[in-house]
Amino acid sequence: MGSGRVIVIGGGAAGFFGAITCAETAPDTEVTLLEKGPRFLTKVLISGGGRCNVTHACFDARELTNRFPRGEQALISPFKRFQASDTVEWFESRGVKLKVESDGRMFPNTNSSQTIIDCLLREAKTAGVKFFANRGVEKVAKLPEGRFELTLLNGETLNCDRLLLATGGCRSAAAGQLAVSLGHTLEPPVPSLFTFHIQTPWLRQLAGISVESVEASVPGTGLRERGALLVTHWGLSGPVILRLSAWGARELHSRSYEFPLELNWLPHLDADAIVAELQLHRQAQPARLVVNTPIPPLPARLWEQLVLAARVAPDTRWSELPRSAHHQLIQQLTRTEFPVTSKSLNKDEFVTCGGVRLREVNFKTMESRICPRLHFAGELLDVDGITGGFNFQAAWTTGWIAGHAMADDNAADSNVRSR
Ligand SMILES: Cc1cc2nc3c(=O)[nH]c(=O)nc-3n(C[C@H](O)[C@H](O)[C@H](O)COP(=O)(O)OP(=O)(O)OC[C@H]3O[C@@H](n4cnc5c(N)ncnc54)[C@H](O)[C@@H]3O)c2cc1C
């Protein structure tokens, strides 16, 4: 296939995947990757606590898109072409076996992100990609004949026929500046995947406790998620909170991260079932103290605090628990309200909500609808997933599609030139 020159800006997951795919598909194309930092794939290295959560064992394209608060619709067709099972196969066919954890997250068998980095660098080299670190791109100009001229921070200039922008999340507007200079609009960046700060003293006493399944919601917003919860020294974390933060990234930002959070600690039981549980306790162990006899599966320390928060005196026995206290206890168990006062980034994984506006990009080719021959991949786009390997999956998929499109388009261009 084709000739011509492709430049990829950004040496992260999306940039490498795009560069390798393009070079493998069109071996005559000269593919150059430019990274501004001294090292490649730095986020891959720190990802997943150093283990790299490469993807998620969710092998249905539609279902996969449900994990994307931004990009859900746009990713349907890309995932039909390259989804999690393709990622698994891509790495396995290159000697990297992935394993699934009980929650569906997939990691290299080695438990080391270096395995993924070594694989990508090796494959790039084998495919003939020329990759350079310490080559930040300062400016890109569109030349009259449709090519691009890049000016690097070191003053060097380079030309190419097709350009892939894979410069990562736009944590600041400046990070998306190359896309803007080529006519694109950025959806304003705000953080996604963060944990909640809560000052309530009794909650803080429970730091370290985890509950397998709670329902967390933000009253008045429609934000509601179910999953595992972790009590931390500063408030709440765990998958249910991270998911809520991802789906509510814009809404919670607009409230300056000050909002009420409601927790249902027993989401698998309805009100009648909880009443029945309380009756059972009263009948089966009337002489025992309420604070000491939790409803399963609540941890004993959490139960104790919920009982006290419901204003049940610590020396109350089940036989003495007044009907009115039943009501307060049920309220606490199903609708504990905590005031969230701020947020912290989740150290295991964080991403930016916002980036290049999706309707300005053709997701069949990842090509710009505004600037022909310009392609996009990865977190630079206004695409972000919940935690669990979905963000890398989006980077692999969009990189793969862009790489193919650039290879195919270059082939088409060179056919036109040689006619
Ligand atoms: C701590 C942490 C852990 C994470 N863990 C996971 C995980 O386990 N699983 C998961 O799915 N997701 C994880 N994520 C999210 C995931 O890392 C990102 O979504 C993914 O790396 C995005 O890839 P990318 O190639 O688009 O961008 P990046 O990885 O950010 O790469 C972009 C590259 O472009 C370079 N660049 C930018 N501007 C220029 C320029 N002008 N010239 C040249 N180069 C430039 C940057 O230096 C950077 O190296 C994690 C994120 C963090 C921060």
Side-chain angles (χ1 to χ4, degrees):
M1 280 205 192
S3 56
R5 181 187 246 197
V6 165
I7 292 184
V8 176
I9 308 183
F16 266 91
F17 228 66
I20 296 168
T21 306
C22 183
E24 284 181 349
T25 312
D28 292 343
T29 299
E30 185 188 318
V31 182
T32 304
L33 180 148
L34 305 170
E35 164 56 47
K36 79 171 171 199
R39 288 194 185 79
F40 302 106
L41 298 158
T42 48
K43 271 205 195 165
V44 172
L45 185 67
I46 56 169
S47 67
R51 294 199 298 145
C52 187
N53 178 193
V54 178
T55 186
H56 200 94
C58 171
F59 302 128
D60 178 84
R62 274 271 176 182
E63 210 189 312
L64 202 51
T65 62
N66 293 339
R67 317 297 172 92
F68 287 83
R70 267 83 32 201
E72 187 177 357
Q73 285 301 314
L75 286 170
I76 294 173
S77 118
F79 283 156
K80 285 189 175 159
R81 293 175 59 202
F82 193 93
Q83 53 126 313
S85 56
D86 299 301
T87 303
V88 174
E89 198 187 311
W90 195 95
F91 280 103
E92 292 207 349
S93 68
R94 287 157 173 89
V96 177
K97 288 220 176 309
L98 303 181
K99 60 173 176 174
V100 192
E101 304 226 318
S102 57
D103 57 3
R105 292 180 303 158
M106 299 195 75
F107 295 89
N109 269 357
T110 56
N111 273 330
S112 167
S113 52
Q114 193 61 44
T115 307
I116 301 298
I117 296 177
D118 292 345
C119 172
L120 291 169
L121 293 177
R122 189 178 59 240
E123 293 304 315
K125 202 169 167 201
T126 309
V129 177
K130 295 181 185 155
F131 41 103
F132 301 96
N134 296 313
R135 292 287 197 289
V137 176
E138 189 183 17
K139 279 192 301 199
V140 178
K142 187 94 200 229
L143 300 174
E145 70 274 26
R147 303 180 81 235
F148 297 92
E149 184 180 78
L150 282 59
T151 307
L152 275 53
L153 288 164
N154 63 9
E156 206 181 323
T157 56
L158 294 171
N159 288 336
C160 62
D161 301 295
R162 296 206 169 253
L163 181 65
L164 172 58
L165 274 186
T167 48
C170 301
R171 207 144 293 153
S172 64
Q177 179 269 331
L178 292 178
V180 172
S181 74
L182 292 166
H184 280 274
T185 320
L186 295 185
E187 299 295 353
V190 300
S192 182
L193 297 179
F194 47 86
T195 65
F196 298 168
H197 283 208
I198 294 166
Q199 311 286 350
T200 310
W202 69 258
L203 183 71
R204 292 196 164 198
Q205 283 174 29
L206 298 174
I209 275 188
S210 60
V211 185
E212 210 172 292
S213 176
V214 306
E215 189 172 84
S217 57
V218 180
T221 64
L223 292 167
R224 184 176 296 275
E225 286 294 320
R226 203 182 265 208
L229 179 86
L230 177 68
V231 184
T232 65
H233 289 288
W234 60 90
L236 292 172
S237 179
V240 68
I241 298 298
L242 295 175
R243 281 209 288 275
L244 209 58
S245 78
W247 289 101
R250 289 217 178 277
E251 172 78 41
L252 302 180
H253 174 79
S254 74
R255 295 175 178 224
S256 308
Y257 306 104
E258 287 181 33
F259 55 91
L261 175 76
E262 212 170 81
L263 289 187
N264 179 351
W265 301 95
L266 296 169
H268 58 291
L269 299 180
D270 62 16
D272 289 345
I274 297 176
V275 170
E277 275 285 340
L278 297 182
Q279 293 291 6
L280 201 72
H281 275 63
R282 181 194 279 277
Q283 282 159 12
Q285 39 205 350
R288 293 198 61 186
L289 295 178
V290 177
V291 281
N292 288 347
T293 41
I295 291 184
L298 295 182
R301 276 170 62 210
L302 170 63
W303 168 261
E304 183 184 350
Q305 292 303 330
L306 289 170
V307 169
L308 297 178
R311 306 226 165 94
V312 174
D315 57 356
T316 312
R317 296 178 193 284
W318 278 102
S319 58
E320 301 157 356
L321 189 67
R323 291 275 159 210
S324 58
H326 271 217
H327 176 71
Q328 273 161 287
L329 196 49
I330 292 171
Q331 277 287 113
Q332 272 306 323
L333 289 168
T334 57
R335 300 182 66 176
T336 311
E337 193 169 300
F338 293 113
V340 175
T341 52
S342 63
K343 62 147 182 30
S344 298
L345 287 180
N346 165 39
K347 66 177 170 12
D348 287 338
E349 178 175 348
F350 50 86
V351 292
T352 313
C353 150
V356 170
R357 185 167 285 173
L358 301 186
R359 61 170 181 269
E360 297 177 350
V361 179
N362 176 355
F363 273 69
K364 288 198 172 75
T365 53
M366 300 314 300
E367 187 170 2
S368 162
R369 293 189 194 277
I370 290 173
C371 176
R373 301 176 183 219
L374 169 67
H375 298 254
F376 293 101
E379 213 185 308
L380 170 64
L381 294 155
D382 183 26
V383 163
D384 60 275
I386 58 173
T387 184
F390 301 103
N391 287 301
F392 275 137
Q393 185 55 53
W396 311 132
T397 297
T398 51
W400 186 88
I401 289 181
H404 263 291
M406 293 190 299
D408 293 348
D409 291 351
N410 253 345
D413 291 347
S414 65
N415 286 343
V416 172
R417 279 198 296 273
S418 61
R419 246 183 252 151

